[in-house]
Amino acid sequence: MLLKAKDLLISAGARTLMTIDNLEIHEGDKIGLIGKNGAGKTTLLQVLAGLQSQEKGTMERFGKIEYIPQLKEQNGKKSGGELTQQYIQKAFSTQTGLLLADEPTTHLDTKHIEWLEQSLSHWHGAYLIISHDRAFLDQVCTKIWEIDNQKLRVFNGNYTQFKDQKEKEEQFKRQKYEKYEEKKRQLE
C-alpha cells in the first residue's frame, strides 16, 4: 500500500468539494482521475501529495510521492511542452512509489504523448493522473476514479470501460424510473 485515507472532507473555502469514506492506492495501480471542471480534481491531488490539507479525515503515505503540477503559465524561456517534459523526466528519474500528475499531456504533441505512454508502462510504482485526454486514459489506466456530486467513485477498467459502465447504470436508472411512472399511472 502506498497511500491510505479515511473519512476525508475536502473543501475550497466554504464550499465542500467532496467527502471520501475510504481511499487506497496500492503498488501497481494505474488510475485516471476524471470529473467536471471545478469538481476538485487538482485539489484532491494536492491533498494526496501533502501540498494542501483536508478539512477532516486521516491520511497515511507510505513512501515517496512525486507530484507533477498542471502548467498554466509559461516562463517565456521554455514552452509548456518543454517544461512538462522536464517535470516528467525528473519524476521518472526518481521512480518513486507514487506519481501524481495533473494534466501531463496538455502541452505535449502526439510524439511526446506517445513517449509519456511508453514511460508510464515502465513505471514501477503506482500513478494517479488527471487528464481530459480520453484516448490517453484508455492507453495508460486500469482504474478510473470519478468525482461526481461531491463523491469519489471507483471503476475498474480504462476510460472506455468506465463510459460503458456509466451508460448501463444510466439506462438502468431510466428503466427503473419509467417502470415507477407506469405503476404510478396504473394506480391512479
Side-chain angles (χ1 to χ4, degrees):
M1 183 172 307
L2 300 174
L3 188 141
K4 183 177 186 173
K6 252 183 150 15
D7 303 319
L8 291 184
L9 171 63
I10 299 174
S11 304
R15 183 174 153 242
T16 297
L17 292 175
M18 70 195 80
T19 56
I20 301 171
D21 296 331
N22 191 33
L23 177 146
E24 293 180 354
I25 299 177
H26 297 267
E27 193 170 310
D29 280 348
K30 298 168 177 2
I31 306 164
L33 178 60
I34 62 170
K36 294 177 180 154
N37 288 338
K41 299 180 298 290
T42 296
T43 304
L44 175 60
L45 230 59
Q46 291 174 344
V47 167
L48 296 178
L51 302 172
Q52 193 171 323
S53 57
Q54 67 270 15
E55 292 288 313
K56 292 182 185 170
T58 59
M59 178 95 56
E60 292 179 85
R61 296 171 189 87
F62 309 97
K64 193 169 177 350
I65 295 176
E66 191 71 38
Y67 177 73
I68 299 174
Q70 181 178 5
L71 299 175
K72 294 180 180 160
E73 294 179 22
Q74 308 203 3
N75 70 4
K77 293 177 184 161
K78 291 186 177 183
S79 71
E82 289 170 325
L83 288 171
T84 299
Q85 287 174 57
Q86 228 176 7
Y87 271 108
I88 292 168
Q89 286 168 345
K90 179 185 174 282
F92 286 147
S93 71
T94 62
Q95 280 290 325
T96 57
L98 179 58
L99 173 67
L100 304 174
D102 193 348
E103 294 285 356
T105 62
T106 300
H107 296 288
L108 299 180
D109 60 18
T110 304
K111 182 179 111 183
H112 287 99
I113 290 173
E114 290 170 359
W115 165 80
L116 178 58
E117 289 171 0
Q118 190 65 32
S119 299
L120 286 170
S121 73
H122 298 295
W123 186 257
H124 296 300
Y127 54 79
L128 175 60
I129 297 175
I130 297 172
S131 182
H132 285 92
D133 184 337
R134 304 319 187 201
F136 175 73
L137 291 175
D138 270 346
Q139 289 298 314
V140 302
C141 295
T142 57
K143 257 185 205 169
I144 298 293
W145 287 3
E146 179 194 34
I147 299 173
D148 187 30
N149 293 321
Q150 299 177 338
K151 294 286 181 194
L152 181 76
R153 292 188 60 202
V154 176
F155 295 85
N156 288 316
N158 64 17
Y159 182 79
T160 298
Q161 293 163 327
F162 152 77
K163 200 76 176 147
D164 291 344
Q165 208 171 337
K166 283 285 282 192
E167 285 172 13
K168 286 177 185 168
E169 284 179 10
E170 292 301 316
Q171 186 178 7
F172 178 74
K173 285 179 189 175
R174 275 193 304 278
Q175 288 172 343
K176 195 172 175 181
Y177 179 75
E178 287 167 5
K179 284 180 184 175
Y180 164 78
E181 285 295 315
E182 188 176 318
K183 188 76 168 168
K184 191 173 149 184
R185 281 193 297 274
Q186 287 174 351
L187 290 172
E188 287 174 350

